[in-house]
PDB file of all heavy atoms in Angstrom:
ATOM      1  N   ARG H 307     125.132 162.463  24.052  1.00 94.00           N
ATOM      2  CA  ARG H 307     125.614 161.171  23.562  1.00 94.00           C
ATOM      3  C   ARG H 307     126.735 160.596  24.424  1.00 94.00           C
ATOM      4  O   ARG H 307     126.953 159.385  24.447  1.00 94.00           O
ATOM      5  CB  ARG H 307     126.044 161.248  22.102  1.00 94.00           C
ATOM      6  CG  ARG H 307     127.142 162.226  21.789  1.00 94.00           C
ATOM      7  CD  ARG H 307     127.717 161.980  20.414  1.00 94.00           C
ATOM      8  NE  ARG H 307     128.207 160.593  20.303  1.00 94.00           N
ATOM      9  CZ  ARG H 307     129.050 160.190  19.377  1.00 94.00           C
ATOM     10  NH1 ARG H 307     129.472 161.024  18.456  1.00 94.00           N
ATOM     11  NH2 ARG H 307     129.483 158.950  19.341  1.00 94.00           N
ATOM     12  N   GLU H 308     127.435 161.455  25.185  1.00 95.00           N
ATOM     13  CA  GLU H 308     128.506 160.959  26.066  1.00 95.00           C
ATOM     14  C   GLU H 308     127.968 160.084  27.193  1.00 95.00           C
ATOM     15  O   GLU H 308     128.714 159.342  27.837  1.00 95.00           O
ATOM     16  CB  GLU H 308     129.317 162.143  26.642  1.00 95.00           C
ATOM     17  CG  GLU H 308     128.619 162.964  27.704  1.00 95.00           C
ATOM     18  CD  GLU H 308     127.655 164.023  27.173  1.00 95.00           C
ATOM     19  OE1 GLU H 308     127.386 164.043  25.956  1.00 95.00           O
ATOM     20  OE2 GLU H 308     127.177 164.833  27.988  1.00 95.00           O
ATOM     21  N   LEU H 309     126.641 160.167  27.439  1.00 96.00           N
ATOM     22  CA  LEU H 309     126.028 159.355  28.487  1.00 96.00           C
ATOM     23  C   LEU H 309     125.642 157.970  28.000  1.00 96.00           C
ATOM     24  O   LEU H 309     125.439 157.052  28.807  1.00 96.00           O
ATOM     25  CB  LEU H 309     124.766 160.058  29.022  1.00 96.00           C
ATOM     26  CG  LEU H 309     124.945 161.459  29.595  1.00 96.00           C
ATOM     27  CD1 LEU H 309     123.583 162.097  29.870  1.00 96.00           C
ATOM     28  CD2 LEU H 309     125.774 161.421  30.873  1.00 96.00           C
ATOM     29  N   LEU H 310     125.488 157.802  26.695  1.00 96.00           N
ATOM     30  CA  LEU H 310     124.912 156.561  26.158  1.00 96.00           C
ATOM     31  C   LEU H 310     125.818 155.351  26.368  1.00 96.00           C
ATOM     32  O   LEU H 310     125.354 154.278  26.783  1.00 96.00           O
ATOM     33  CB  LEU H 310     124.567 156.728  24.672  1.00 96.00           C
ATOM     34  CG  LEU H 310     123.592 157.879  24.346  1.00 96.00           C
ATOM     35  CD1 LEU H 310     123.321 157.928  22.855  1.00 96.00           C
ATOM     36  CD2 LEU H 310     122.287 157.734  25.125  1.00 96.00           C
ATOM     37  N   SER H 311     127.090 155.501  26.104  1.00 96.00           N
ATOM     38  CA  SER H 311     128.018 154.381  26.274  1.00 96.00           C
ATOM     39  C   SER H 311     128.100 153.914  27.733  1.00 96.00           C
ATOM     40  O   SER H 311     128.016 152.707  28.007  1.00 96.00           O
ATOM     41  CB  SER H 311     129.396 154.774  25.734  1.00 96.00           C
ATOM     42  OG  SER H 311     130.293 153.695  25.893  1.00 96.00           O
ATOM     43  N   PRO H 312     128.239 154.851  28.715  1.00 97.00           N
ATOM     44  CA  PRO H 312     128.232 154.414  30.127  1.00 97.00           C
ATOM     45  C   PRO H 312     126.921 153.718  30.530  1.00 97.00           C
ATOM     46  O   PRO H 312     126.962 152.755  31.289  1.00 97.00           O
ATOM     47  CB  PRO H 312     128.428 155.709  30.918  1.00 97.00           C
ATOM     48  CG  PRO H 312     129.034 156.670  29.969  1.00 97.00           C
ATOM     49  CD  PRO H 312     128.552 156.298  28.597  1.00 97.00           C
ATOM     50  N   VAL H 313     125.784 154.215  30.016  1.00 98.00           N
ATOM     51  CA  VAL H 313     124.490 153.580  30.330  1.00 98.00           C
ATOM     52  C   VAL H 313     124.461 152.160  29.775  1.00 98.00           C
ATOM     53  O   VAL H 313     124.065 151.210  30.462  1.00 98.00           O
ATOM     54  CB  VAL H 313     123.293 154.387  29.775  1.00 98.00           C
ATOM     55  CG1 VAL H 313     121.996 153.590  29.863  1.00 98.00           C
ATOM     56  CG2 VAL H 313     123.122 155.687  30.546  1.00 98.00           C
ATOM     57  N   LEU H 314     124.878 152.006  28.518  1.00 98.00           N
ATOM     58  CA  LEU H 314     124.890 150.675  27.893  1.00 98.00           C
ATOM     59  C   LEU H 314     125.800 149.710  28.662  1.00 98.00           C
ATOM     60  O   LEU H 314     125.445 148.557  28.902  1.00 98.00           O
ATOM     61  CB  LEU H 314     125.346 150.778  26.436  1.00 98.00           C
ATOM     62  CG  LEU H 314     124.331 151.407  25.476  1.00 98.00           C
ATOM     63  CD1 LEU H 314     124.987 151.727  24.145  1.00 98.00           C
ATOM     64  CD2 LEU H 314     123.131 150.482  25.279  1.00 98.00           C
ATOM     65  N   SER H 315     126.964 150.205  29.066  1.00 97.00           N
ATOM     66  CA  SER H 315     127.906 149.386  29.819  1.00 97.00           C
ATOM     67  C   SER H 315     127.280 148.914  31.139  1.00 97.00           C
ATOM     68  O   SER H 315     127.377 147.747  31.522  1.00 97.00           O
ATOM     69  CB  SER H 315     129.174 150.209  30.081  1.00 97.00           C
ATOM     70  OG  SER H 315     130.005 149.555  30.984  1.00 97.00           O
ATOM     71  N   ARG H 316     126.605 149.854  31.796  1.00 97.00           N
ATOM     72  CA  ARG H 316     125.965 149.545  33.090  1.00 97.00           C
ATOM     73  C   ARG H 316     124.808 148.561  32.900  1.00 97.00           C
ATOM     74  O   ARG H 316     124.625 147.640  33.699  1.00 97.00           O
ATOM     75  CB  ARG H 316     125.479 150.861  33.687  1.00 97.00           C
ATOM     76  CG  ARG H 316     125.010 150.773  35.104  1.00 97.00           C
ATOM     77  CD  ARG H 316     126.134 150.846  36.093  1.00 97.00           C
ATOM     78  NE  ARG H 316     125.581 151.013  37.434  1.00 97.00           N
ATOM     79  CZ  ARG H 316     126.287 150.927  38.544  1.00 97.00           C
ATOM     80  NH1 ARG H 316     127.561 150.677  38.482  1.00 97.00           N
ATOM     81  NH2 ARG H 316     125.723 151.063  39.715  1.00 97.00           N
ATOM     82  N   LEU H 317     124.013 148.754  31.850  1.00 98.00           N
ATOM     83  CA  LEU H 317     122.887 147.846  31.580  1.00 98.00           C
ATOM     84  C   LEU H 317     123.386 146.420  31.324  1.00 98.00           C
ATOM     85  O   LEU H 317     122.779 145.448  31.777  1.00 98.00           O
ATOM     86  CB  LEU H 317     122.067 148.343  30.390  1.00 98.00           C
ATOM     87  CG  LEU H 317     121.197 149.574  30.631  1.00 98.00           C
ATOM     88  CD1 LEU H 317     120.598 150.070  29.316  1.00 98.00           C
ATOM     89  CD2 LEU H 317     120.078 149.286  31.637  1.00 98.00           C
ATOM     90  N   ARG H 318     124.503 146.296  30.616  1.00 98.00           N
ATOM     91  CA  ARG H 318     125.054 144.956  30.349  1.00 98.00           C
ATOM     92  C   ARG H 318     125.523 144.299  31.651  1.00 98.00           C
ATOM     93  O   ARG H 318     125.370 143.088  31.832  1.00 98.00           O
ATOM     94  CB  ARG H 318     126.195 145.050  29.332  1.00 98.00           C
ATOM     95  CG  ARG H 318     125.707 145.403  27.930  1.00 98.00           C
ATOM     96  CD  ARG H 318     126.824 145.378  26.890  1.00 98.00           C
ATOM     97  NE  ARG H 318     126.319 145.851  25.603  1.00 98.00           N
ATOM     98  CZ  ARG H 318     126.596 147.046  25.070  1.00 98.00           C
ATOM     99  NH1 ARG H 318     127.395 147.890  25.704  1.00 98.00           N
ATOM    100  NH2 ARG H 318     126.079 147.399  23.894  1.00 98.00           N
ATOM    101  N   GLU H 319     126.051 145.117  32.562  1.00 97.00           N
ATOM    102  CA  GLU H 319     126.462 144.587  33.868  1.00 97.00           C
ATOM    103  C   GLU H 319     125.248 144.123  34.678  1.00 97.00           C
ATOM    104  O   GLU H 319     125.294 143.080  35.343  1.00 97.00           O
ATOM    105  CB  GLU H 319     127.226 145.646  34.654  1.00 97.00           C
ATOM    106  CG  GLU H 319     128.612 145.967  34.135  1.00 97.00           C
ATOM    107  CD  GLU H 319     129.276 147.015  35.006  1.00 97.00           C
ATOM    108  OE1 GLU H 319     129.472 146.752  36.212  1.00 97.00           O
ATOM    109  OE2 GLU H 319     129.583 148.109  34.502  1.00 97.00           O
ATOM    110  N   VAL H 320     124.167 144.919  34.631  1.00 97.00           N
ATOM    111  CA  VAL H 320     122.935 144.539  35.340  1.00 97.00           C
ATOM    112  C   VAL H 320     122.410 143.218  34.782  1.00 97.00           C
ATOM    113  O   VAL H 320     122.016 142.313  35.520  1.00 97.00           O
ATOM    114  CB  VAL H 320     121.849 145.642  35.233  1.00 97.00           C
ATOM    115  CG1 VAL H 320     120.525 145.162  35.823  1.00 97.00           C
ATOM    116  CG2 VAL H 320     122.298 146.919  35.933  1.00 97.00           C
ATOM    117  N   GLN H 321     122.416 143.109  33.446  1.00 97.00           N
ATOM    118  CA  GLN H 321     121.946 141.875  32.798  1.00 97.00           C
ATOM    119  C   GLN H 321     122.758 140.665  33.276  1.00 97.00           C
ATOM    120  O   GLN H 321     122.195 139.620  33.617  1.00 97.00           O
ATOM    121  CB  GLN H 321     122.034 141.999  31.276  1.00 97.00           C
ATOM    122  CG  GLN H 321     121.526 140.751  30.553  1.00 97.00           C
ATOM    123  CD  GLN H 321     121.630 140.868  29.037  1.00 97.00           C
ATOM    124  OE1 GLN H 321     121.663 141.966  28.486  1.00 97.00           O
ATOM    125  NE2 GLN H 321     121.671 139.729  28.366  1.00 97.00           N
ATOM    126  N   ALA H 322     124.080 140.815  33.317  1.00 96.00           N
ATOM    127  CA  ALA H 322     124.945 139.710  33.758  1.00 96.00           C
ATOM    128  C   ALA H 322     124.634 139.330  35.208  1.00 96.00           C
ATOM    129  O   ALA H 322     124.590 138.139  35.555  1.00 96.00           O
ATOM    130  CB  ALA H 322     126.409 140.102  33.598  1.00 96.00           C
TER     131      ALA H 322
END
Side-chain angles (χ1 to χ4, degrees):
R307 60 166 303 198
E308 73 278 8
L309 302 171
L310 302 181
S311 180
V313 169
L314 288 168
S315 170
R316 190 83 169 170
L317 287 172
R318 290 185 186 106
E319 289 181 61
V320 173
Q321 181 181 337

